[in-house]
């Protein structure tokens, strides 16, 4: 499963001469929600994120091990969407680089010395070449890290923001741009003909800070928070069941083949998808190998071979431009992963080289 050749884009975004900003990690997402009270109940009372600050228009939330002001902003608005995928950079000087990098690409760029949200200082927001609202910042208010406050922990405590996942029509094009931005591919999904269905890219030494999933976009597939152990994820499922809120569980719990992580996917009151995630692996060595999965491998999305519900492939959140308007969604022209893998397609496998294997057979529910 180790790839030797890089993903090659047929229609690449040109590489700027300007150096990219040195991104450290994904840091926070700004979500627009249509009912702030309902959203607060989901993220605070159900999932246990910590309120750093709030007012009548927004709630600023963080995970237990975070020391900057927030990992998630819930902002009231008329349309459920994503206002910013925000990355922390290594120094204040990187913001000048961000302006130069994206200006050379012809992107819309805005900079605010006082930041776009509370708790964040000098920041650059752009409408990137793929249509996503990206933010880069260094200055942030510090708050108490609650890692040692075990009296506050719930059984399903969320300890870190782990990654974003973005939906875009042309995955190789997106990968080329992200590599120019300094990201590295850790895993991908392809077929024998070279169609790329998804790719995982990182700055911090884990499997990803963001992933590019092939589909109609630009849209946000999910934002992921990490727990310490997989039993924390099971505790979240038990809590939702006890509260008669199991309908919020879209997929899982299970273990991914890609990333090797244990997972759970939930939908918030506006339909934004949240992944709870734990136990992926270290990728920080300079020669870390890229893992390529066959799109027809039944275990790529779920290590146990459980089917993926169609909504997981189809549904995603809109993203906004810098004026707060939804970005237009372009259709993917290449084959979709759902189309080639869900149902009796005759090609998917668990043991590819076993001549005695039965034809592809998905578990009940995959066609619903």
């Amino acid at each position: 499963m180790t790839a030797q050749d890089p993903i090659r884009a047929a229609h690449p975004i040109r590489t700027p001469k300007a150096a990219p900003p040195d991104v450290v990690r994904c840091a926070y997402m700004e979500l627009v929600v249509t009912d702030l009270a309902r959203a607060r109940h989901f993220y605070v009372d159900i999932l246990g994120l910590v309120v750093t600050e709030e007012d009548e228009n927004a709630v600023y939330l963080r995970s237990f091990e975070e020391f900057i002001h927030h990992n998630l902003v819930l902002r009231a608005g008329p349309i459920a969407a994503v206002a910013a995928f925000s990355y922390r950079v290594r120094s204040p000087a990187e913001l000048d680089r961000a302006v130069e990098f994206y200006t050379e690409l012809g992107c819309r760029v805005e900079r605010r010395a006082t930041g776009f949200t509370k708790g964040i200082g000098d920041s650059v927001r752009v409408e990137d070449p793929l249509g996503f609202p990206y933010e880069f910042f260094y200055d942030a208010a510090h708050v108490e890290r609650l890692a040692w406050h075990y009296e506050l922990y719930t059984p399903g405590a969320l300890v870190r923001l782990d990654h974003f996942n973005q939906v875009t029509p042309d995955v190789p094009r997106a990968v080329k741009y992200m590599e120019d931005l300094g990201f590295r591919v850790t895993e991908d999904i392809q077929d024998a003909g070279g169609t790329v269905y998804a790719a995982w890219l990182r700055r911090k030494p884990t499997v990803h800070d963001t992933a590019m999933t092939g589909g109609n976009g630009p849209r946000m597939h999910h934002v992921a928070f990490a727990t310490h152990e997989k039993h924390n994820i099971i505790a979240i499922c038990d809590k939702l069941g006890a509260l008669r809120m199991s309908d919020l569980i879209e997929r899982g719990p299970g273990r991914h083949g890609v990333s090797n992580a244990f997972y759970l996917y939930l939908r918030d009151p506006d339909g934004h998808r949240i992944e709870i995630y734990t136990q992926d692996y270290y990728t920080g060595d300079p020669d870390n190998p890229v893992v390529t999965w066959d799109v027809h491998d039944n275990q790529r999305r779920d290590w146990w071979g459980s089917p993926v519900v169609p909504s997981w492939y189809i549904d995603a959140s809109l993203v906004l431009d810098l004026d707060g308007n939804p970005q237009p969604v372009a259709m993917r022209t290449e084959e979709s992963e759902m189309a080639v893998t869900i149902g009796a397609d005759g090609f998917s496998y668990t043991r590819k080289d076993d001549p005695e294997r039965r034809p592809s057979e998905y578990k009940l529910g995959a066609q619903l």
Side-chain angles (χ1 to χ4, degrees), residues 15-16 83 90 112 120 130 184 186 251 273 284 292 358:
T15 302
R90 198 164 298 279
R112 290 187 188 175
I120 303 297
L130 306 178
R184 294 182 60 185
T186 58
R251 181 181 164 208
R273 182 179 290 107
T292 292
R358 60 187 177 177

Side-chain angles (χ1 to χ4, degrees), residues 156-170:
L158 306 183
V159 294
R160 289 182 300 279
L161 174 68
D162 191 83
H163 63 264
F164 309 136
N165 188 304
Q166 303 168 237
V167 183
T168 190
D170 187 335

Side-chain angles (χ1 to χ4, degrees), residues 282-304:
Y282 172 79
T283 61
D285 283 13
D287 57 348
N288 181 73
V290 176
V291 178
T292 292
W293 294 80
D294 183 346
V295 71
H296 295 294
D297 185 341
N298 283 331
Q299 294 183 212
R300 75 201 182 284
R301 290 294 187 182
D302 185 276
W303 189 239
W304 308 333

Side-chain angles (χ1 to χ4, degrees), residues 2 4 37 44 73 81 85 97 105 109 170 181 183 193-194 207 211 281 289 302 306 350:
T2 300
Q4 301 299 321
V44 178
V73 180
F85 299 77
R97 290 186 177 184
L105 283 172
V109 178
D170 187 335
L181 189 55
F183 285 68
V207 172
Y281 59 91
D302 185 276
S306 298
T350 298

Side-chain angles (χ1 to χ4, degrees), residues 177-196:
Y177 151 63
M178 294 299 289
E179 288 177 330
D180 287 344
L181 189 55
F183 285 68
R184 294 182 60 185
V185 175
T186 58
E187 302 200 26
D188 59 48
I189 296 175
Q190 302 189 31
D191 63 20
T195 299
V196 183

Side-chain angles (χ1 to χ4, degrees), residues 36 39 57 90 102 108 161 188 201 234 247 254 266 306-307 364:
L36 189 59
N57 297 313
R90 198 164 298 279
Y102 283 100
R108 181 178 173 186
L161 174 68
D188 59 48
L201 303 107
I234 294 170
D247 56 308
L266 307 175
S306 298
L364 182 65

Side-chain angles (χ1 to χ4, degrees), residues 96-143:
D96 293 333
R97 290 186 177 184
V99 171
E100 293 170 6
F101 183 85
Y102 283 100
T103 298
E104 188 177 339
L105 283 172
C107 297
R108 181 178 173 186
V109 178
E110 289 190 8
R111 185 170 184 174
R112 290 187 188 175
T114 56
F116 292 84
T117 66
K118 289 183 179 180
I120 303 297
D122 190 10
S123 307
V124 174
R125 284 195 178 184
V126 304
E127 293 172 13
D128 84 356
L130 306 178
F132 291 98
Y134 265 24
E135 178 181 278
F136 304 92
F137 74 95
Y138 174 78
D139 292 326
H142 287 199
V143 292

